Amino acid sequence: MEKWYLMTTVVLIGLTVRWTVSLNSYSGAGKPPMFGDYEAQRHWQEITFNLPIKQWYFNSSDNNLLYWGLDYPPLTAYHSLLCAYVAKIINPAWVALHTSRGYESQAHKLFMRATVLIADLLIYIPAVVLYCCCLKETSTKKKVANALCILLYPGLILIDYGHFQYNSVSLGLALWGVVGVSCHWDLLGSLAFCLALNYKQMELYHSLPFFCFLLGKCFKKGLKRKGFVLLIKLACTVVASFILCWLPFFTEKEQALQVLRRLFPVDRGLFEDKVANIWCSLSVFLKIKDTLPHHIQIIISLLPACIKLTLQPSPKGFRFTLVTCALSFFLFSFHVHEKSILLVSLPVCLVLSEIPFMSTWFLLVSTFSMLPLLLKDDLLMPTIVTMMAFFIACATSFSIFEKTSEEELQLKSFSISVRKYLPCFTFLPRIIQHLFLMSVITMVLLTLMTVTLDPPQKYPDLFSVLVCFVSCLKFLFFLVYFNIIIMWDSKSGRNQKKVN
């Protein structure tokens, strides 16, 4: 009973922080002609409500795809339609065809913010609470603390409630999938992840770990026995869920192909705006977007993640594989948005209780990497406040500065292996502590420079590029770190088996 009372308090704290952030500005407020993501979400409600399904993804006089054309899977469109029906009841002007373009009012802002909060309350927050309650060998206090820190993660709050999007829906469905397959509810977990994938195509970042984890379960059960039955059930679940989501678009071949073209816009190039990944960082020195054909860009960007997954099977577990695969896709994959780092942050939140120091550090960096976008939306103060609140919550809940030993960083096996050849290798925890301190100082200095100084006229994007470049270097460091955990845990596990 006490656990649920504490969890309810945590949820109320999370909701309060979310609603407070939502009182601030949003993407593109008062900035015609395109406005921003807030207008994009409203426009999709307008389109889905007024036009037949077969016109949702096609360019026409009523649906100019250059003006926030729908470019997410069908489940996002259905969600927009549902919100549009409610909007129509409250005020038909909010979704009126053509005339509602760029509509801005306090009442409409309240309605749009409420739709995000309700989606959060129905999908994401229950998944977080259930995940934390299912943590094994963890005290009630730690479960509650874990839930509080995950719900206070500033990146998701600032993007959904400040910038304005519905990332909590797809991430929440993915988290339901994680809970499902981790608790042996494999069919429900598969269904939840398929729904996440049909809400936002970027959930492909998590698809390979899901596939490998479920396939491994089938192999473990034996493909000639129960494993084969499970494989058939999983295949039927996936196929059925996709058919249900895409059924209205299967009436004509061109319908389905047009949706796919909208979901995977290969002509847009490797990245948009200033993104803390490899391609954007390298473009400072080499104009990749101009020197490589698009099909070559796609092949190069996908190879690292695929090779990594093939050569590094993860005995550590599903959660760490989610982290490494998502981070690899973010760093190397095609057409990455700065907000895509949220897809890496979710699995990092899931290992927060296992490696609190490194997870807290990563989650702070992930929020910092979106600084140019957040400043564009006038979200500097909410960014500072939410990052401080999150850091204090993690520092007090997990005592992160006391958990920097080799064992608590899960680097003991790696250090032992290195000490076989370099006996003096005992300084790794101190190096990581110093790197953390340098990282925090760098983030503070770059934030102050971006806010207070004007960039040189010759380099107007100097500070934004520096933020992305520095963040990219840190993400590369984290990619190495998480892969070391997976690889050396595998070795220690095999050695333990030999001892037994």
Side-chain angles (χ1 to χ4, degrees), residues 92-383:
W94 293 351
V95 290
L97 191 62
H98 300 307
T99 59
S100 64
R101 180 172 292 192
Y103 190 99
E104 292 180 311
S105 71
Q106 196 60 35
H108 185 253
K109 177 183 175 182
L110 182 66
F111 165 74
M112 294 291 279
R113 297 299 197 191
T115 59
V116 179
L117 191 69
I118 291 170
D120 226 350
L121 197 55
L122 292 177
I123 300 175
Y124 182 73
I125 292 177
V128 170
V129 172
L130 182 60
Y131 171 80
C132 293
C133 289
C134 291
L135 290 174
K136 296 179 180 179
E137 300 178 2
T138 305
S139 65
T140 298
K141 182 181 177 181
K142 290 297 182 184
K143 290 178 180 179
V144 172
N146 205 41
L148 175 64
C149 293
I150 294 175
L151 291 179
L152 288 181
Y153 168 57
L156 182 59
I157 295 174
L158 291 165
I159 293 300
D160 276 14
Y161 291 87
H163 180 77
F164 196 90
Q165 283 192 335
Y166 295 95
N167 292 290
S168 59
V169 177
S170 58
L171 294 177
L173 289 169
L175 184 49
W176 277 108
V178 172
V179 172
V181 299
S182 300
C183 296
H184 306 293
W185 307 328
D186 296 327
L187 299 185
L188 290 176
S190 300
L191 174 62
F193 181 70
C194 287
L195 293 177
L197 195 53
N198 279 289
Y199 191 88
K200 283 199 173 184
Q201 64 270 36
M202 284 82 75
E203 279 299 327
L204 284 168
Y205 281 35
H206 300 145
S207 59
L208 285 174
F210 268 93
F211 174 79
C212 295
F213 188 58
L214 290 170
L215 187 63
K217 282 191 173 186
C218 295
F219 284 139
K220 190 174 181 179
K221 290 176 180 288
L223 285 180
K224 293 183 179 180
R225 293 169 292 177
K226 293 181 180 179
F228 181 73
V229 175
L230 177 60
L231 184 63
I232 296 299
K233 288 181 178 179
L234 290 170
C236 291
T237 301
V238 172
V239 171
S241 60
F242 270 82
I243 288 176
L244 286 174
C245 290
W246 286 70
L247 192 59
F249 303 96
F250 284 153
T251 54
E252 299 177 17
K253 179 182 177 181
E254 186 57 28
Q255 281 280 333
L257 291 177
Q258 175 64 9
V259 177
L260 289 173
R261 282 192 288 266
R262 293 296 299 165
L263 299 189
F264 303 102
V266 294
D267 291 333
R268 292 188 192 175
L270 277 170
F271 54 88
E272 280 198 3
D273 295 326
K274 301 296 179 290
V275 186
N277 75 343
I278 290 295
W279 307 124
C280 184
S281 300
L282 284 178
S283 70
V284 177
F285 312 102
L286 175 66
K287 298 300 180 184
I288 296 176
K289 295 176 79 171
D290 300 328
T291 58
L292 290 179
H294 286 310
H295 67 283
I296 299 296
Q297 293 176 11
I298 297 173
I299 294 171
I300 292 176
S301 65
L302 290 180
L303 274 177
C306 295
I307 292 173
K308 182 197 72 62
L309 187 65
T310 305
L311 299 180
Q312 298 178 349
S314 170
K316 175 63 183 179
F318 181 43
R319 294 188 299 274
F320 279 95
T321 310
L322 280 169
V323 175
T324 54
C325 282
L327 186 52
S328 296
F329 270 102
F330 176 80
L331 287 170
F332 300 105
S333 68
F334 183 82
H335 191 61
V336 176
H337 292 260
E338 59 272 73
K339 293 159 287 193
S340 299
I341 194 61
L342 298 178
L343 293 156
V344 190
S345 300
L346 175 68
V348 173
C349 284
L350 304 186
V351 298
L352 187 57
S353 60
E354 297 174 62
I355 43 171
F357 180 81
M358 297 299 289
S359 297
T360 301
W361 183 7
F362 177 91
L363 294 171
L364 289 173
V365 174
S366 69
T367 305
F368 169 77
S369 71
M370 298 184 286
L371 183 65
L373 175 68
L374 298 172
L375 291 179
K376 190 187 298 183
D377 296 334
D378 298 323
L379 293 171
L380 175 62
M381 191 53 64
T383 300

Side-chain angles (χ1 to χ4, degrees), residues 482-494:
F482 283 114
N483 274 308
I484 285 174
I485 289 180
I486 292 173
M487 292 169 64
W488 263 263
D489 184 79
S490 170
K491 292 180 179 180
S492 64
R494 287 196 298 267

Side-chain angles (χ1 to χ4, degrees), residues 410-419 425 428 484-485 488-489:
Q410 298 198 18
L411 294 173
K412 189 172 182 179
S413 298
F414 170 73
S415 298
I416 291 172
S417 299
V418 174
R419 278 197 287 271
F425 188 75
L428 187 56
I484 285 174
I485 289 180
W488 263 263
D489 184 79

